[in-house]
Amino acid sequence: MEIFSFLGRLHPLFVHLPIGFIILSILLEVYISISRIKINPKIISFSWFLSFISTLSSALFGWLLYSDGLYIEEKINLHRITGFILVFLVFIAWFFRQSYFRNAFNKNLRGILSFFIVLNLFVTGHFGGNITHGQNYLIDYAPEEIKKIFLEKETLYDEILVDLDSIKLYNDIVEPILLKKCVSCHNNNISQGDLNFSSFSLLTKGGISGSSIDKMNPRRSLIFKRITLPENNLKVMPPDGPKMSFDEINTILWWIKNFDKSEQELSLLEIPLDIQYSLNNIFNIDFQEKKWFDKIDISNLDDSSISKLSDSIFNIKFISDKKKFLSIKLLEKDLKLDEFDKLQIVKNHIAYLDISGVNVSDNLFEKIIEFKNLIRLNLNNNNITQKEIKIIQGLDNLQVLNLYGTNVSSEILNILKQFKSLKRVYVWNTKISDRQIENFNKENNGIKLIGGI
Amino acid sequence: MNCNDHKHNYKFSRRDFLTKTSLGLGALTLGSLISPTNSYGNFNVLNNKMPHFPAKVKRVIYLLQSGAPSQLDLFDYKPLLNKLNGTELPDSVRGGQRLTGMSSGQSSFPLAGSIFNFKQHGSSGAWMSDLMPFTSKIVDELCFIKSMYTEAINHDPAVTFLQTGSELPGRPSIGSWVSYGLGTDNKNLPEFVVLVTKDKYGQPLYSRLWGNGFLPSQHQGVQFRSGKDPVLYLENPPGVTADLRKEQLEYLKKLENINHADIGDPEILSRMSQYEMAFRMQSSVPEVMDVSKEPKYIYDLYGPESKTPGTFAANCLLARKLIEKDVKFVQLYHQGWDQHGDLPNAIKVQCKDTDQPTAGLITDLKQRGLLEDTLVIWGGEFGRGSYSQGTLTADNYGRDHHPKCFTIFMAGAGIKKGITIGSTDDFGYNIKERPVHVHDFQATLMHLLGIDHERLTFKHQGRRYRLTDVHGNVVNEVLS
């Protein structure tokens, strides 16, 4: 009934009355225990009576307010329990001030009772205050040192370390934010404002104030409005705990704009740069395409294995001071197989290999196929044909193949398609015609043939 | 890459001497014992010079256009200047910017629109004037930075700033830093080679622009002469054989080692390594500099001048050959862009010199797969202003120095293709978006080579120096 709701809402106003009476009663108790002047006990009894009646009525008003269902069970529980304990304690205090029992209660017991009443009063008041003003109301403007002690530390989101094609917009991005900031109040059990964020389908339904999402005007969406209200506004969401951060708000707004793509993977979405920054800040999602040297897991080379190579016919260099991958270039015009065999001890560490401008044999390619982390292979100006390239088509990491000035013909084109990671192949000055190059590139199979003049 | 791993830093200075002797003679002995051995001259995998991170760029060709080409007549299309041609440059645009003594006395500053036609080219739609028909064809390979700016307003400080990171002479050139930081990939050729177009005049070039500054002297740029003999006296004199020369050097080395043990000056070792390099160059240079085996279509690609030694075109062809031999840093200089007057005619000559060879070089590098790890840079030391220096006529004008904005372009490894970074205002006077300072450009160049510009330092006269001094941010937008 509306009248109950109306009365219920008077609770926060009314509670200040019993607080006054209780404090007055206790002050009177203290006064008579330390002063020689006698006070008529009936006055104290009457003061306690007012305290009891007003405490009881506020508790009842509070009950009415609670029945409105606007509050969360867990948050209100403590306030309710302490409230009713207070009613009981105040009743005891009044009861034993009646003339019959006055002597049953000695001075010390009276003192202890008063102490507990005051304590209970503060605790109840504090829990009540938390409900109306939010948990951090008292310390919001406190000096930093005090804040540090009381403010809860915001928990961080779990990092998302998988590829973009397995991150779903709603499930992996939006839901964790809602779970952290909204679902504690808007779930199956509580659903404040009749709003339930515990699943995507329920979320789209909206609450009492209507749909929380406005796809046409994302900024007018209720959810966006409420999370962007000023911090001291009564309607700001979330009411307790840390508010939404800029990055969270930014992400939510971007999601509303792409609401129809909620089920899609991030790799299918166009993600503006500022959203990339935000998602990176929240979930540590890396939008940079992973470089090959970050993808291949390999240990560092130790100096002893490299020192064996120091007098070879190759120029051998680390590609970075991580000492994982090598760049190797043949310095001589003549390649002896036994020299090449020396590279076996570092075969998994060879990323770039340049053996251009020499006469090479088939046997060599049987060895090259073992360099499974080879990224770039220069075979230009050699006497090779597609036959040799076919031998090494199992090089799964190979990205760049330089074949200019060789005898390869158009038969190589189908072999090239077998390479898993191949991106660019240089075929200038070979038997492949410009037209064949053009047609191959039109097929758009991830490999670009580069010809020349 | 270990910075300051050179013996230059393990000499005892007066201060070291006092510090260490005050701790006792034992400390002095220990100090020299723990001094690491020199790693220079080591040409193998144990050579401890490594990039800080995997680099996309292994080699650089820097086509420095000395004198400052007019970006307003080449790349930075400003139709408003044509519309307002002859009207006064608004003070609000100039914003109190200082001018050189050459035009500051002018009573008026009439805006001068370019008389050249601009068109968009390629699928990237880059604006280019008709002056560069060949480069226009390859714009989709290029990355333009239209918002470069510098601090100097005159040539010498500006080109010194661009090359060494400081307006004052004395710091090492970019190529020297690269040589010092990354070492060599070819023991028979220097890491840093300089080619200057011959018979061009204008702003002077000094060898300190490719000097090693305070770095050990083997890191200085080695200038190959423009002309038939890039390096003089490669041939042994009659009666001296290669073996004899080698033997002579070995004896010289023994003597120098005694000398070094006695005096301890690391420059003795530097000098020895240069003697040895010169010996190796006796056989390597004739091979690399021999362009006679190049087919006709390659000469055609670089343009008609490519057969004339010492021209920009011939130098571009040589640059490719040097890059093929793993020279790390090839620096070309082409003078004559300083067009204070008669710009429309003078710039045509310059473009004829450079347009086809530049495009030819980039095309040639691409077809050989060399753009996979080679970076080409084209640009001057500053830009040119949007008002006319001297009298503006219907078909003639001049442009004074303009440090507040200029355009450079790059092509090759590690950078995005077919993009333009930054822009200038409609007057082509101020930068509108994404300013790129010379130090930012240098930091980016170092980054592309795998060097953290903040970590490659050299201690000299009590403090650590680096190319970018205490400035520079990598321009991430250009990185691919």
Side-chain angles (χ1 to χ4, degrees), chain A residues 333, chain B residues 186 188-190 193 224-225 227-236 242 276-294 299 317-318 320-322 324-325 327:
Chain A
K333 294 256 183 231
Chain B
N186 182 339
N188 299 325
L189 286 168
V193 173
F224 284 5
R225 286 160 45 90
K228 264 193 167 170
D229 293 320
V231 181
L232 289 179
Y233 312 120
L234 278 176
E235 293 289 324
N236 288 320
E276 285 162 8
M277 172 60 80
F279 175 71
R280 292 192 297 269
M281 278 166 65
Q282 283 190 302
S283 56
S284 64
V285 168
E287 187 197 339
V288 72
M289 294 313 229
D290 177 19
V291 288
S292 63
K293 285 177 199 141
E294 293 292 319
Y299 284 120
L317 183 55
L318 280 183
R320 187 214 88 206
K321 294 208 65 172
L322 289 165
E324 280 183 309
K325 293 287 173 202
V327 172

Side-chain angles (χ1 to χ4, degrees), chain A residues 28-41 44:
Chain A
L28 286 172
E29 293 277 6
V30 173
Y31 186 73
I32 57 163
S33 67
I34 58 170
S35 164
R36 287 191 201 144
I37 304 160
K38 295 256 191 242
I39 295 177
N40 190 343
I44 302 174

Side-chain angles (χ1 to χ4, degrees), chain A residues 274-306:
Chain A
D274 67 314
I275 301 297
Q276 292 186 11
Y277 288 133
S278 287
L279 293 179
N280 186 273
N281 282 347
I282 306 175
F283 301 106
N284 205 5
I285 299 176
D286 190 5
F287 287 92
Q288 295 276 319
E289 198 193 338
K290 260 197 175 176
K291 304 284 190 308
W292 61 265
F293 44 80
D294 289 328
K295 278 185 189 163
I296 300 172
D297 192 21
I298 197 165
S299 60
N300 291 9
L301 266 170
D302 57 291
D303 286 345
S304 63
S305 54
I306 311 156

